[in-house]
Amino acid sequence: MKPIFLPEGAVLILAVVVLSVVMSGCSNPSPESLGENWQLTINGTTQKVITMDDLRALPVVNGHGYCVSTTGARFGPYTCQGADLRDIAALVGGAHPGQQVWVSAPDGYLWVFDSDQLNGQGFITFNENLAEIPAPPLRIILMYQQNGTPLSYDDGGPARIAIVSEQPGVITEGSAWVKWVDRIEIRD
Ligand SMILES: Nc1nc2c(c(=O)[nH]1)N[C@H]1C(S)=C(S)[C@@H](COP(=O)(O)O)O[C@H]1N2
Ligand SMILES: [Mo]
């Protein structure tokens, strides 16, 4: 076999590529360990930083969640478990009528919920055929468990917004399902 000669620059680039592939393999933790270092900053009348244990200590909400992307791709149906966004807001003084809740993630994604939505109203809902249907009672939760297991990074874990209903088969718009949530702010 002929030896392959590479210029120094190419060797360096190759080394960086190999190293980053190896390291991305290492930084692919289990859903359980993902939550260990996760923190949520909540800003309202006061500010609080909470852990996954704190989030799990809030009243547990279970529901059915199912969403669709703007391109028509469907995610779900899932059983979702998490904490009601109103209970999270209550940790920093609550969200009052007319206020908004800004939910964001480290990738810069931000979604704003108004106080109607916080109470489960004002969402557009679809059936399995993506025909619009009247919305049943809905809840916005910060989900930490999906289909009975901790939320994986690929699914937006450790914590992701989910819009849930008591009955299955209700599809909501995926844009509101903020992945990798690390910040929640109550704003006037
Ligand atoms: N942090 C974060 N969450 C996000 C997004 C994003 O870009 N960043 N995209 C949203 C949109 S537009 C959709 S449709 C759903 C599903 O997006 P996916 O196809 O990227 O999984 O996640 C939502 N949550
Ligand atoms: Mo989307």
Side-chain angles (χ1 to χ4, degrees), residues 38-42 48-50 88 142 181-184:
W38 176 83
Q39 291 192 318
L40 175 69
T41 301
I42 320 165
K48 245 187 199 140
V49 178
I50 69 166
I88 297 170
L142 186 57
V181 173
D182 73 343
R183 190 173 190 89
I184 292 176

Side-chain angles (χ1 to χ4, degrees), residues 32 35-40 50-59 144:
E32 288 80 0
E36 279 168 21
N37 299 315
W38 176 83
Q39 291 192 318
L40 175 69
I50 69 166
T51 64
M52 184 54 74
D53 284 346
D54 299 329
L55 182 63
R56 286 179 169 275
L58 291 173
Y144 43 74

